[in-house]
Each structure stands twice: as structure tokens, then as C-alpha cells.
Amino acid sequence: MNEKQRIRMWSFSLIAGFFLMWELLCIVLGVSDLVLPRPSEILVTLWTKFPILWPHILQTLYSTLIGFSLGVCIGVSLGVLVGTSKVAYSVAYPLLVGFSSIPKVAVVPIFVLWFGSGTTPAILTAMVICVFPIVVNIATGLAKTEPDLEDVLKTLGASKSEILWNVGLPRTMPYFFASLKVAITLSFVGAVLSETVASNRGIGNVMMTASSNFQVSLVFAGLIILAVLGVVLYALFSWLERRVTGWATRDTEIAIT
Amino acid sequence: MNILAHPADPADPVETVSPTAVPSAAATRIKAVELQQASVVFGTGDRAVTALSPTKLTLEQGDFVALVGPSGCGKSTILRLVTSLITPSSGAVLVGGRDAAIRHLRMGMAFQNPTMLPWLTIEQNVMMPLKIVKPFKNTFRQDRKGAFRDRVHTLLGQVGLKDFAGHFPWQLSGGMLQRANLCRALVHDPDLLLLDEPFGALDQFTREELWQILQDLYLDRKPTVLLVTHDLREAGFLAKRICVMSARPGRIISDEVVPLPQPRAIETIYSPEFVEMTQTLRALIAQVRT
Ligand SMILES: Nc1ncnc2c1ncn2[C@@H]1O[C@H](COP(=O)(O)OP(=O)(O)O)[C@@H](O)[C@H]1O
Ligand SMILES: [Mg+2]
């Protein structure tokens, strides 16, 4: 515990030191706030503009979470489909890897073309970008389930679905939750990205507009908000992961991304 | 004096009728397990490995047969045939007079390594068969916290695991996991109990203790038992019949009745007759190992 606290203190000092260094360098070198505003200026902007920013924060969170939820549903169904059959797994795996290595940014223009600008492309981008890590992890978890564990149920005369419920899916949970952590971050990136390109709402759009109006400290304020939201979402899902799959925490970095 | 009742001819290895049964009655009674020249070959072509030569083996209902032999001779393979985890490459496997794949007898199996599900507590692990097997599964929701829980706790108490019901498998030693494994094999009152070296990882005292527990459970409920073991004293203490297998590809070369009445006291294993019996078996296995 003591060791843990010391490490926490150090990482906190590192973050504080980073912002302090930033502030000092800007003053010492006389950097123009049109290039790089000081953290204190950014904080002031954040504080004064917060009432205007708040609806945009909600908008970005909304697109992210809706897209993410859809992505999880699709990802889990596909993953179970692919993972429960050895043949399907070997046949579909190359295609999945191929799809997941396409830069998902490239789909934004297509969604804008189909659905116009606004919330829809943001949600869809958040969705497609998070589907593949989930599919791959669920399918891998199911395919890698120790045959010994399945045999226990088979000798009892369990049906395929009973084996899936009692062994396959629980065994896959660590993979699933590890992939959720990755997926929520990706969804967030996707939503913001789509907002910067084609929307008049959301933090992504705020940053884009501020940038074309040379409101540099507002751009950075948006960046800080994104960073904080990203960390909060990630932390939320790591916490969930630890709660649900505590039995498997001995092998931590389990997700395939 | 040879204590084994029926010295078998190794060339015609399996005499399957239980000598206690009247031959005519035995012929009409449905056998619990019948391997009819069942063989198992893994792989094909050059890679083909014969795990089991055509084997004949019959277990009467309520029989307790111990299967001994050098490692790799196909003992686990026979258990996997009976539980229909694999199908025979030739011949047939009948359980309760019907194809093993139908699984119409209630089976309990303890594997060689205690395959506890790591995300469940010991109690939940031991309760698993009740969730899967009829008729227990029909009332699982209602009885999970009541009758079934008591049943599991009674069994865990019998093997000395009462205080570990709420623990997870990784919190238990290998020996404790084996006891839980045995409980899980027994909890649904199986007609047919298949045990694959269940006491291998235990110290001698615990082992003898569990032998007695298993003997009591057996005499109490009279399931048909097929026990794989490499411990000749274990085979002699528990079984009604001992089958010896040859080295891979295995077949049964000796099938003998243990002429000691049950229940047997643990001191029996130190008696001169018992020692002589195990010596004879040991010599036989040493001979076929090569
Ligand atoms: N899935 C498999 N593929 C190929 N060979 C196997 C397989 N399972 C078992 N064998 C082989 O079959 C033989 C019998 O195995 P087994 O029944 O496990 O022996 P044991 O008597 O020690 O329990 C062994 O030589 C083993 O190598
Ligand atoms: Mg074995």
C-alpha cells in the first residue's frame, strides 16, 4: 500500500510539474498566446466559457455513448457468432483483422455523404470504430476457452447454449472488459473526429470554430476537456473491469487491440 | 497362494460376467457400461496414433472396477469414451444398454486435474451439476439457496472443506481442489461415477481418509464406478474388480475379482493377503511396461 501511495504521489507531481514547466517556459521565452497560451489563461477561459461549453460536452458524450452502446451490441453478437465455431473463427479471422486495420477516420466522409452533417455521422463513427476490438476479443476469448472446462459440462450432458452461458461467456469476460476499455476510448476519438469535420455541435466542432477565429486559448480549453473526459471514461471502464473480473486480474494486459 | 480369484489368460483377456451374478440373470440384465471391441485412433495417415486397441470391458450395475496400467496406455481414453467426449474409431460403446452418445445415464466425472471454474466459488463449482442435470435443474432457482446449498455443504463437510465453501479455487491447495472435484462428481447422485486418478496429488493420510469416504459413499448409494488409478493399494482397497492394461496401444490383459468383502477396513491394506495381491499386480504391470 505504501509503495502504491508513493507511486501515486510521484505521478501527480509529474503532471503538476508538466503544467508548471509549461507556464514558466511561456513566461521566460515570451511565447505569444496566439501560439501557445499559458495553462493559467486556459483555466480562466475554461472557467468563464464553461456555461457555453457544457451543452457541447453533453453532446459529445451523447454521441460517444450511443455509438459505443450500439458498437458493443454488434461487437458481442458478431464475436459470439465467430467465436463459438472453430471453422467460423479460422475463416473470418483474416477478414476481421483486415477490417480492423482500416483507418476508421476514412469512413467519416462516407457517413457525411449518406446522412448529412450532424449527430448521426458522429454516432456511426463512434460505433464502427469500436466494433472490431470487441469482436476480436470476444471471439478470441471463446475460441481459447480451455477444452477441459467445457468437458466438465459435456459429461453432464449440457447443451451447447448451457456450455456457452456457464463456461464460454464467463471465461471471455476478462477479454470483453479489457476490450471495452479500449473501445470506449476509440468511440470517443471517433465522435470528436466526426464533429470536427461535419457538425455544428460538440467539443470537436467548438475547437474547429475557435481555431478559425484564432481563439487559441479556447482551442486548448477544448483539448483539456477532451483529455479529462477521455481519462474519466477509461477509468470508469477499468474500474468496472476490476469489479467484474477480479478472478482473472493476475494476467492484466489481456486485450488484443 | 494366489489371492486373485480368476487368473485370466492374457491371450483371451476379458471375462466380463461378474462372478457374483447368476450367469442367466446376468445375460438379461442391462449392463451399466459395455465396450464392444472399441478402439481409438487419433489423427490419420502417418500421424495416426492408436491410443486404445480394440477393447472389451463390461461393468454390471453397481460394479466398482479399478483400471490400472502404465501411463499413456489409454486409461483416460476409456473414460472419455464412456462419457462420449470422444467416439470410438471402431467398435461400440454402450452405457446403460444404449449408445454412449445418448448420455441417458446420469454421469459424474472427476478429471485428472481438478477443473474448477476459476470465476466461481467452491460452493458454486460443486453445485454446477445440479444446474445442468435433470431433474435437479428444474428446481434449481428455488433450491439453490436452500436444499441444494445444504446438499453441497454436507458433501463439503464430509471431505473436510466446510470452511472453504465461499473460497475461490485459486485460494485452495491442490489436494483441497481434488476433494472439491470429488464432491462435484457426486453431488447429483450419479448412476455412473468415473474417476480419473482423483487422489493422485494427495498425501498418504488424506488419501486413505478419502478412500474411506468414497467407500462409504459407494456402499451408501451403489452407483457403478470406474476408477482409474496408478495406486495398486487404492485399487485393491476400493474396487470389486481390477483390470490391468498393457502399454500403449493398450488393451486389458487381466480382469480379476478382489476376494475381500466390503466394507473393508483401512488396516486390510497391511494384511499379508492384500500385500500379496498387490505384489502380483505389480509384477504383472512391470512385465507389460516394456
Ligand atoms: N487428442 C490426442 N491426440 C493424439 N494422441 C492422444 C490424444 N489423447 C491421448 N493421446 C495419446 O493416447 C495415449 C493414451 O492416452 P491416455 O488415455 O490419456 O493415457 P493414460 O492411460 O495415461 O490416461 C497416449 O499415448 C496419448 O499420447
Ligand atoms: Mg490419464
Side-chain angles (χ1 to χ4, degrees):
Chain A
M1 207 58 207
N2 218 347
E3 180 77 359
K4 236 182 187 170
Q5 280 170 339
R6 208 176 320 144
I7 286 176
R8 269 212 196 129
M9 207 187 71
W10 274 109
S11 34
F12 182 78
S13 317
L14 189 68
I15 295 169
F18 171 77
F19 284 105
L20 207 67
M21 208 59 189
W22 178 351
E23 183 88 28
L24 282 178
L25 278 179
C26 282
I27 295 171
V28 171
L29 301 176
V31 180
S32 155
D33 51 6
L34 279 182
V35 178
L36 183 64
R38 284 176 284 125
S40 55
E41 285 177 308
I42 298 171
L43 265 182
V44 170
T45 313
L46 203 59
W47 181 253
T48 52
K49 292 271 166 70
F50 197 74
I52 308 166
L53 288 171
W54 180 242
H56 292 284
I57 293 177
L58 290 183
Q59 169 68 22
T60 302
L61 275 179
Y62 171 79
S63 305
T64 304
L65 291 178
I66 298 287
F68 171 73
S69 312
L70 290 174
V72 170
C73 293
I74 297 175
V76 169
S77 328
L78 274 180
V80 169
L81 213 66
V82 172
T84 40
S85 142
K86 281 250 147 56
V87 181
Y89 183 73
S90 349
V91 170
Y93 200 80
L95 183 72
L96 284 179
V97 171
F99 261 122
S100 62
S101 58
I102 296 178
K104 249 64 81 195
V105 188
V107 300
V108 178
I110 301 177
F111 286 144
V112 175
L113 191 72
W114 287 345
F115 302 103
S117 63
T119 311
T120 314
I123 290 177
L124 290 178
T125 312
M127 184 190 84
V128 292
I129 208 167
C130 80
V131 162
F132 291 102
I134 296 173
V135 176
V136 170
N137 276 286
I138 293 260
T140 307
L142 285 177
K144 293 249 165 79
T145 301
E146 296 84 343
D148 283 5
L149 298 186
E150 292 184 358
D151 286 352
V152 172
L153 290 215
K154 276 189 200 159
T155 48
L156 296 169
S159 65
K160 275 230 158 69
S161 66
E162 280 174 327
I163 293 175
L164 183 68
W165 270 114
N166 289 298
V167 179
L169 289 180
R171 181 72 192 83
T172 306
M173 283 300 116
Y175 290 87
F176 174 60
F177 278 96
S179 77
L180 282 191
K181 244 175 10 184
V182 175
I184 189 69
T185 316
L186 287 176
S187 281
F188 185 57
V189 169
V192 172
L193 200 98
S194 178
E195 284 168 358
T196 43
V197 179
S199 179
N200 47 13
R201 285 155 82 198
I203 295 296
N205 172 254
V206 168
M207 288 175 71
M208 212 56 191
T209 319
S211 149
S212 49
N213 295 337
F214 294 103
Q215 293 169 291
V216 184
S217 65
L218 188 55
V219 177
F220 276 89
L223 199 65
I224 299 283
I225 290 174
L226 291 183
V228 170
L229 285 182
V231 169
V232 167
L233 288 174
Y234 184 88
L236 199 69
F237 280 90
S238 323
W239 174 80
L240 197 67
E241 179 187 14
R242 252 176 294 126
R243 280 302 301 275
V244 179
T245 63
W247 59 271
T249 40
R250 270 165 299 168
D251 25 332
T252 34
E253 284 310 311
I254 204 168
I256 297 149
T257 52
Chain B
M1 182 193 92
N2 188 353
I3 196 155
L4 298 172
H6 286 206
D9 176 8
D12 177 22
V14 195
E15 176 50 50
T16 53
V17 178
S18 167
T20 50
V22 185
S24 63
T28 52
R29 241 175 100 190
I30 293 170
K31 306 283 186 282
V33 175
E34 259 189 296
L35 266 67
Q36 300 174 336
Q37 301 301 337
S39 77
V40 174
V41 180
F42 289 109
T44 50
D46 293 344
R47 297 267 187 82
V49 179
T50 306
L52 188 67
S53 300
T55 296
K56 197 161 166 293
L57 173 67
T58 306
L59 273 74
E60 301 293 338
Q61 286 170 28
D63 228 349
F64 194 137
V65 172
L67 207 52
V68 297
S71 69
C73 70
K75 303 183 296 292
S76 298
T77 302
I78 289 183
L79 293 193
R80 295 174 70 79
L81 276 175
V82 174
T83 50
S84 192
L85 288 173
I86 52 176
T87 50
S89 308
S90 72
V93 179
L94 302 185
V95 174
R98 294 157 78 176
D99 190 344
I102 298 170
R103 289 205 179 94
H104 83 291
L105 277 195
R106 208 186 288 164
M107 278 193 254
M109 169 134 184
F111 289 88
Q112 213 160 343
N113 41 343
T115 45
M116 294 284 129
L117 306 179
W119 54 88
L120 298 181
T121 61
I122 294 304
E123 179 187 314
Q124 290 166 327
N125 263 295
V126 172
M127 209 183 277
M128 181 58 78
L130 301 178
K131 193 177 178 182
I132 303 294
V133 175
K134 276 184 237 170
F136 305 99
K137 69 188 281 190
N138 303 331
T139 58
F140 184 76
R141 279 166 171 277
Q142 300 95 282
D143 290 344
R144 183 168 48 144
K145 296 255 163 66
F148 289 178
R149 210 180 105 99
D150 296 344
R151 193 188 179 95
V152 168
H153 279 241
T154 309
L155 261 178
L156 287 176
Q158 277 176 300
V159 298
L161 284 180
K162 189 140 210 96
D163 299 333
F164 293 88
H167 285 55
F168 283 92
W170 55 269
Q171 296 172 301
L172 270 64
S173 70
M176 292 163 123
L177 288 176
Q178 285 291 10
R179 296 169 192 223
N181 202 17
L182 191 65
C183 290
R184 185 177 56 185
L186 285 165
V187 73
H188 54 301
D189 215 347
D191 306 316
L192 180 56
L193 185 58
L194 303 152
L195 304 171
D196 197 347
E197 302 187 17
F199 310 125
L202 303 176
D203 62 273
Q204 188 61 30
F205 287 110
T206 316
R207 203 181 298 183
E208 289 179 6
E209 201 178 290
L210 285 178
W211 290 352
Q212 295 175 66
I213 290 170
L214 180 58
Q215 175 171 267
D216 293 346
L217 290 169
Y218 165 70
L219 293 175
D220 187 27
R221 310 179 185 192
K222 283 283 176 157
T224 311
V225 186
L226 185 52
L227 166 75
V228 167
T229 177
H230 50 234
D231 185 337
L232 296 174
R233 282 186 298 182
E234 180 172 308
F237 177 71
L238 284 167
K240 286 185 169 171
R241 269 164 61 207
I242 300 178
C243 296
V244 180
M245 292 181 71
S246 69
R248 190 177 72 89
R251 57 194 185 81
I252 294 172
I253 51 162
S254 149
D255 186 343
E256 310 286 350
V257 169
V258 180
L260 301 169
Q262 286 176 307
R264 296 168 194 154
I266 195 69
E267 293 74 31
T268 315
I269 66 173
Y270 301 107
S271 73
E273 298 143 297
F274 193 94
V275 172
E276 196 188 325
M277 175 178 77
T278 50
Q279 290 297 354
T280 314
L281 286 170
R282 168 195 282 273
L284 189 59
I285 292 172
Q287 209 178 349
V288 299
R289 269 185 66 183
T290 43

